[in-house]
Amino acid sequence: MEVSDQSSRPEHDFKCQGTLLQAIHRHVVTTLGNDVFPPRKETYYKGLAYAVRDRLMERWVMAQRDFYDQKAKRVYYLSMEYLPGRFLMNYITNLELEQEVEAAIKDMPFTLQALEEEEWDAGLGNGGLGRLASCFMDSMATLKIPGYGYGLRYDYGIFFQKIVNGYQVEKSDNWIRNGFPWEIKRTGFLYDVNFYGRSQAYIDSVGETRYRWVDTQQVHAMACDIMIPGYGTKHVNNMRLWESVSDEAFSLTHFNDGDYTGAMQAKVREESITKVLYPSDEKAEGRELRLKQQYFMVAATLHDIFRRFKKKHGQEFQKLPDQVAIQLNDTHPSIAVAEFMRRLLDEEMVGWDQAWEIAVKTFAYTNHTVLPEALETWPVELLGRLLPRHLEIIYEINHRFLEMLRQDFPHRPDLQNKLSIIKEGPTRLVRMAHLAIIGSHAVNGVAELHSRIIRESLFRDFNTIYPDRLTNVTNGITPRRWLRQANPELSQLISQAIGDAWIADLDQLKRLIPLADDAAFQQQWIAVKRIKKQQLSAYIQRKLKFSPNPDALFDVQVKRIHEYKRQLLTIMHGIALYRRLLINPQLDMVPRTIILAGKAAPAYHLAKNIIKLANAVAEQINNNPICQGKLSMAFLPNYCISQAEKVIPGADLSEQISTAGMEASGTGNMKFALNGALTIGTLDGANVEIMEEVGAENIFIFGLTSEEVEQWREGGLYNPRWYVERDEELRGVLQMISSDTFCPGQPGLFEPIRASLLERGDYYMVIADFRAYLDRQQEVAETYRNTGEWARRSILNTANMGKFSSDRAIREYARNIWDVEPLR
Ligand code: 26V
């Protein structure tokens, strides 16, 4: 939605009329073609959705007018992934419609919660990076920052995970099947996106050599808009997801030849660009379709940005950096740097130097990982075939950059090879991170430790040549979804105690600190946690047909399955406890339920083997009578945002145990602590800052530091067998994994895991941290016995989470990177 001429805007009356219930009934009949009686859950969900949407739309139009009138600088967040989760409750929370909705459905044969479950969770991302983008959308709207989220509308999101016989099985996630009431498809709003062809030089009217991209194949991008309302404000931002579509014109020649199926095939080929999300995180894939997706998103988005800019500022491109900030969410959209240059050079006829200055001032890039296998590169051959003009531009950027290095760092000839955008070798590669760094004025890591690692090791030489470019913005999470919505019971208790200003100002939680020692408040706190644990237990009952005892310690690790995140340590601890019970069935232990969930990339065989192990261990433990009332274990299938909202509030213990130096930030760690879980974790990512905030005495830290990990690896000092020889329990646990204890009749099933630890050097240092981890877990259990002490620490964790609001993170981006102000 765009307002064309604001000055002569007449008065309109488009305000929603009548009660919410009337609106629901009207939509059930007129939009959905159903009868209101007898009430059906699915139709009422949709009727409610449309009624809520109407109220939002009204605000949206007003917000867009506001944008236009204020000529504010806009932020464009470019991300290949978003994980918004369900929208209904988010809209109801942010519009503060709860009471009205409760009143409207009070006579219905279903609850609001039941209606909420009707919505399919939009999984348009893999994990942390996508969820961060969605938390940022919420905060930008809440802070009234004129921000747009741009991305792709995949027909199929992250796969649906089934667990069959203990193994992960991927099913397609046709999330759109029952319709998606929240999007507004701009069917008449299509942009052309070009691929292939060649670059052609020509002399323009003033005798300059210019280039154009010719003989291309075109596809079309259709805008699908989703409204993003702020909390406690009438401000509404927009998220625009592109869908690739075909039109008649494209296939006309085929049709004229009578080649119906040929035409249909062309249509299918074209539409396949946004068909499916790539389901691998932390591993770059060199597939042509993925690069197509990236360029498709970038080209359509820049088209939109330039159109909007030119409508107001015409050809005054020197003003662009004062009107536009573009944030690259990892390198996935970094081809935008070349596309931006192409637009200015080839289409707007701006000279190179001016275009480059504008580009660098406009772009900023966020790095989300230090894992080498996740750093994107594209074969020169592939990029040059798909985007020939862009490759030319990248070569020119690189040429000028290397020339600058020669001039400014004559004593560092080594920098040429190290920092070149092109990596030489048998297959020459384009290093997308180098393009993003060179093309941005700011590059940030996502936690203090991660940013330091970037400055000192990953991008060390870039830090030498651009000393002010590399910076930090520690991640955050939105308190609206992760406390207000996911945990209404705790929210209410907190609001009773300190008022509800914390929802938009999370530092207010500090006012809970004095209550941490208050025995009565502790009791109320414990009672709420118990309710959330009961609800979680009932959820586990529905999914796995057993219900853990809510009095047990709920020990939770939920996140993507990856070796560096070390789900294996959690499982090995479970095995160790099980083994202690086998040795001494009378053992007096703190009852514990270990809860795991997470998806493995479909081609990541070791991660899938870990899932199988978790399920196999869980099955044994849960079926062995000696574990009754002492130990149980659950692997919840299909971890996703809506599942996280159920699991996190019910956790006592949050597992954040990655090999130090490898988890860029983590955001689950923040969600758990905000909901009063205590953390057991390594000094990694944002755990370090969580420890600083809550105090070292209120968190269970263990294990090697990132410096130690690096030294040991570099010096080749680490030998896992050294530990195995000295630790009887560790030997016992490894023996149980490599024997057929957990895979009767299938010896060798977990051999890949054993081999990774003992034959292939245990790269993630699971063995090195095993004993420290178990000792810390023992201390966790002892602390848990003291209910009052546990409650005190739990309250202090929540109370000290203010820093980790995504509102704080967005304020930092706004001030230090984007130079934007909230709207008045
Ligand atoms: C890489 C690739 C490679 C190509 C295929 C698709 C794909 C998707 C994602 C990635 C990189 C993912 C990086 C990521 O999710 N990092 C996580 O970002 C979180 C937000 O900053 C952070 O909290 C986590 O620590 C970090 O692992």
Side-chain angles (χ1 to χ4, degrees):
M1 211 272 323
E2 216 88 31
V3 188
S4 47
D5 183 8
Q6 75 288 11
S7 56
S8 55
R9 186 190 295 143
E11 280 299 313
H12 295 288
D13 187 8
F14 49 76
K15 296 274 153 74
C16 298
Q17 311 281 342
T19 67
L20 193 68
L21 185 61
Q22 287 169 327
I24 297 172
H25 285 163
R26 196 169 53 243
H27 278 298
V28 167
V29 175
T30 62
T31 310
L32 300 164
N34 270 292
D35 201 342
V36 287
F37 194 86
R40 287 177 47 228
K41 206 157 58 179
E42 196 208 326
T43 23
Y44 266 80
Y45 156 67
K46 285 193 179 157
L48 173 60
Y50 284 116
V52 170
R53 192 179 98 157
D54 288 346
R55 278 153 178 75
L56 241 130
M57 210 88 91
E58 187 185 300
R59 290 189 179 193
W60 193 32
V61 172
M62 301 311 288
Q64 297 299 320
R65 288 181 173 184
D66 237 34
F67 271 34
Y68 199 93
D69 294 349
Q70 295 202 25
K71 294 200 169 42
K73 180 169 180 178
R74 291 135 197 257
V75 177
Y76 295 96
Y77 199 83
L78 270 57
S79 180
M80 292 289 284
E81 305 191 7
Y82 290 91
L83 282 173
R86 292 178 175 143
F87 285 90
L88 179 64
M89 280 314 286
N90 175 244
Y91 286 161
I92 291 175
T93 306
N94 283 15
L95 294 176
E96 296 178 80
L97 279 176
E98 281 127 318
Q99 276 162 12
E100 223 179 312
V101 173
E102 293 286 0
I105 64 165
K106 70 172 190 306
D107 297 326
M108 303 291 159
F110 28 71
T111 59
L112 176 54
Q113 208 197 343
L115 292 184
E116 194 191 348
E117 295 286 330
E118 286 293 303
E119 183 174 350
W120 202 270
D121 191 321
L124 308 182
N126 274 288
L129 164 139
R131 180 56 227 176
L132 185 76
S134 287
C135 282
F136 282 1
M137 290 298 113
D138 186 82
S139 285
M140 280 200 263
T142 298
L143 296 172
K144 297 218 267 179
I145 286 175
Y148 297 78
Y150 275 90
L152 293 181
R153 181 190 179 282
Y154 303 104
D155 292 341
Y156 294 87
I158 185 69
F159 62 85
F160 189 96
Q161 179 196 52
K162 287 204 156 163
I163 301 296
V164 179
N165 188 25
Y167 293 98
Q168 166 174 301
V169 175
E170 300 93 22
K171 298 280 169 199
S172 66
D173 162 68
N174 192 355
W175 69 286
I176 215 82
R177 182 178 39 206
N178 298 325
F180 181 57
W182 309 116
E183 74 183 338
I184 298 145
K185 285 201 176 208
R186 309 291 177 188
T187 47
F189 194 110
L190 296 181
Y191 288 134
D192 289 349
V193 176
N194 295 292
F195 291 104
Y196 307 107
R198 65 198 164 84
S199 171
Q200 185 184 60
Y202 68 99
I203 307 294
D204 70 8
S205 54
V206 292
E208 294 268 345
T209 303
R210 297 235 160 239
Y211 298 85
R212 58 184 160 226
W213 185 12
V214 298
D215 298 339
T216 56
Q217 290 181 27
Q218 270 162 24
V219 298
H220 312 282
M222 179 171 77
C224 304
D225 290 340
I226 298 175
M227 293 171 282
I228 308 289
Y231 173 84
T233 153
K234 295 205 162 158
H235 188 72
V236 185
N237 275 339
N238 192 22
M239 189 158 111
R240 177 160 281 183
L241 304 182
W242 301 104
E243 183 182 354
S244 59
V245 289
S246 154
D247 70 358
E248 265 70 14
F250 179 77
S251 311
L252 203 59
T253 51
H254 289 282
F255 274 112
N256 289 347
D257 295 345
D259 182 7
Y260 178 76
T261 41
M264 290 311 283
Q265 270 164 15
K267 183 176 154 76
V268 166
R269 252 201 315 278
E270 184 178 341
E271 288 190 339
S272 68
I273 290 182
T274 55
K275 190 58 82 186
V276 58
L277 167 79
Y278 273 84
S280 155
D281 69 333
E282 314 277 8
K283 185 154 170 57
E285 259 189 274
R287 302 236 188 133
E288 180 163 334
L289 180 58
R290 168 77 177 174
L291 183 58
K292 264 191 174 169
Q293 289 185 334
Q294 295 182 344
Y295 180 69
F296 179 79
M297 194 273 275
V298 158
T301 301
L302 289 189
H303 205 139
D304 223 20
I305 294 174
F306 273 79
R307 177 187 55 81
R308 205 172 282 133
F309 174 84
K310 284 164 71 177
K311 207 163 68 184
K312 245 191 291 180
H313 305 283
Q315 301 294 115
E316 296 181 278
F317 295 107
Q318 76 282 359
K319 286 190 182 160
L320 209 143
D322 303 323
Q323 290 297 313
V324 174
I326 301 178
Q327 190 69 35
L328 304 173
N329 198 22
D330 216 304
T331 55
H332 313 154
S334 58
I335 191 69
V337 173
E339 171 69 359
F340 188 95
M341 288 298 285
R342 189 193 65 79
R343 281 197 161 266
L344 286 177
L345 300 168
D346 299 0
E347 292 182 2
E348 308 296 350
M349 310 298 160
V350 176
W352 183 281
D353 291 332
Q354 197 197 351
W356 183 246
E357 189 186 324
I358 295 170
V360 173
K361 282 185 180 162
T362 304
F363 281 100
Y365 150 58
T366 307
N367 172 279
H368 294 270
T369 178
V370 297
L371 295 191
E373 63 267 34
L375 294 179
E376 279 190 307
T377 56
W378 291 105
V380 166
E381 179 278 322
L382 166 57
L383 204 147
R385 191 160 45 78
L386 193 66
L387 304 167
R389 177 65 184 130
H390 297 77
L391 182 61
E392 248 173 37
I393 290 171
I394 290 170
Y395 277 148
E396 184 65 22
I397 293 171
N398 200 37
H399 172 74
R400 288 167 184 250
F401 171 70
L402 295 178
E403 198 48 44
M404 178 278 284
L405 288 182
R406 246 188 294 276
Q407 298 273 325
D408 295 0
F409 300 90
H411 308 300
R412 293 289 310 271
D414 60 309
L415 294 181
Q416 296 281 318
N417 269 329
K418 282 188 184 160
L419 299 189
S420 170
I421 299 175
I422 307 299
K423 184 175 182 204
E424 301 295 338
T427 7
R428 301 175 71 228
L429 298 169
V430 182
R431 296 193 271 220
M432 301 311 273
H434 292 206
L435 176 62
I437 296 170
I438 296 165
S440 297
H441 66 281
V443 175
N444 73 288
V446 290
E448 292 288 353
L449 174 66
H450 171 230
S451 298
R452 192 163 51 108
I453 290 172
I454 285 180
R455 274 191 297 256
E456 292 175 2
S457 91
L458 187 66
F459 299 144
R460 182 199 169 109
D461 296 314
F462 278 114
N463 193 43
T464 308
I465 62 164
Y466 302 130
D468 300 323
R469 197 165 289 195
L470 305 194
T471 142
N472 174 252
V473 183
T474 297
N475 282 166
I477 58 170
T478 170
R480 271 73 66 184
R481 183 172 293 262
W482 296 110
L483 186 50
R484 181 63 266 272
Q485 255 174 263
N487 200 341
E489 297 87 349
L490 192 63
S491 297
Q492 208 190 349
L493 176 60
I494 293 170
S495 295
Q496 273 166 16
I498 62 167
D500 65 3
W502 59 269
I503 302 172
D505 175 11
L506 203 62
D507 289 321
Q508 295 282 332
L509 291 179
K510 284 246 188 280
R511 295 169 54 203
L512 292 171
I513 292 173
L515 293 166
D517 291 305
D518 178 327
F521 191 73
Q522 287 178 357
Q523 282 312 311
Q524 291 176 295
W525 193 266
I526 292 164
V528 167
K529 181 58 89 179
R530 201 184 144 86
I531 291 171
K532 299 314 282 182
K533 289 173 75 176
Q534 269 166 343
Q535 291 170 359
L536 175 52
S537 181
Y539 176 76
I540 294 173
Q541 169 68 39
R542 288 201 295 283
K543 297 289 160 184
L544 298 174
K545 310 293 170 225
F546 85 97
S547 30
N549 174 6
D551 291 321
L553 169 74
F554 280 15
D555 172 355
V556 185
Q557 186 175 24
V558 288
K559 49 182 85 234
R560 284 296 286 250
I561 310 292
H562 203 291
E563 286 163 277
Y564 85 81
K565 296 178 189 279
R566 300 198 296 190
Q567 280 90 0
L568 204 45
L569 261 183
T570 305
I571 299 168
M572 287 168 73
H573 176 235
I575 297 173
L577 293 178
Y578 178 45
R579 189 169 167 275
R580 288 177 198 173
L581 281 169
L582 288 172
I583 294 167
N584 174 15
Q586 260 58 58
L587 185 74
D588 170 38
M589 63 176 277
V590 172
R592 187 187 289 253
T593 295
I594 298 171
I595 299 167
L596 292 169
K599 294 175 184 177
Y604 191 169
H605 300 290
L606 196 73
K608 290 178 134 178
N609 203 224
I610 292 171
I611 291 178
K612 172 65 182 169
L613 179 64
N615 281 287
V617 172
E619 192 182 307
Q620 286 242 342
I621 288 178
N622 297 342
N623 290 313
N624 193 330
I626 62 168
C627 299
Q628 263 296 316
K630 292 182 178 169
L631 182 63
S632 65
M633 191 162 157
F635 188 97
L636 284 169
N638 201 42
Y639 185 59
C640 58
I641 300 301
S642 50
Q643 185 178 95
E645 290 173 36
K646 298 183 174 78
V647 171
I648 292 169
D652 293 306
L653 185 66
S654 155
E655 300 241 16
Q656 308 300 335
I657 60 176
S658 49
T659 314
M662 313 223 64
E663 187 71 270
S665 161
T667 44
N669 46 4
M670 303 168 187
K671 294 162 197 166
F672 279 101
L674 183 62
N675 281 278
L678 305 198
T679 303
I680 183 164
T682 47
L683 283 175
D684 199 15
N687 297 352
V688 178
E689 289 156 78
I690 291 177
M691 179 184 77
E692 285 165 8
E693 295 299 305
V694 305
E697 64 288 2
N698 297 314
I699 183 169
F700 301 95
I701 296 291
F702 72 94
L704 299 175
T705 63
S706 59
E707 286 85 0
E708 287 166 338
V709 168
E710 209 191 304
Q711 281 167 13
W712 292 23
R713 275 187 190 153
E714 280 184 359
L717 300 174
Y718 175 50
N719 175 13
R721 289 171 191 272
W722 188 90
Y723 294 86
V724 178
E725 279 158 24
R726 280 159 186 78
D727 192 327
E728 191 268 331
E729 189 169 42
L730 173 56
R731 269 201 308 283
V733 168
L734 289 171
Q735 203 277 325
M736 287 171 81
I737 293 174
S738 38
S739 70
D740 67 350
T741 308
F742 300 114
C743 48
Q746 286 175 284
L749 189 60
F750 302 116
E751 171 58 20
I753 292 175
R754 194 201 62 86
S756 81
L757 299 177
L758 298 178
E759 312 295 336
R760 283 189 275 109
D762 184 19
Y763 186 76
Y764 299 98
M765 302 197 178
V766 172
I767 300 285
D769 278 345
F770 175 81
R771 182 47 51 193
Y773 175 63
L774 259 63
D775 288 349
R776 266 314 208 191
Q777 282 285 18
Q778 186 67 40
E779 199 184 319
V780 167
E782 298 305 333
T783 311
Y784 191 73
R785 281 187 200 273
N786 183 345
T787 316
E789 175 58 16
W790 189 275
R792 194 182 69 82
R793 294 193 199 183
S794 166
I795 297 166
L796 287 176
N797 267 265
T798 303
N800 288 304
M801 280 305 108
K803 172 173 178 184
F804 304 103
S805 168
S806 44
D807 298 345
R808 186 268 316 147
I810 287 299
R811 277 198 197 91
E812 289 182 13
Y813 278 100
R815 207 171 298 143
N816 305 335
I817 295 178
W818 302 332
D819 192 26
V820 297
E821 303 249 338
L823 291 177
R824 288 183 299 278

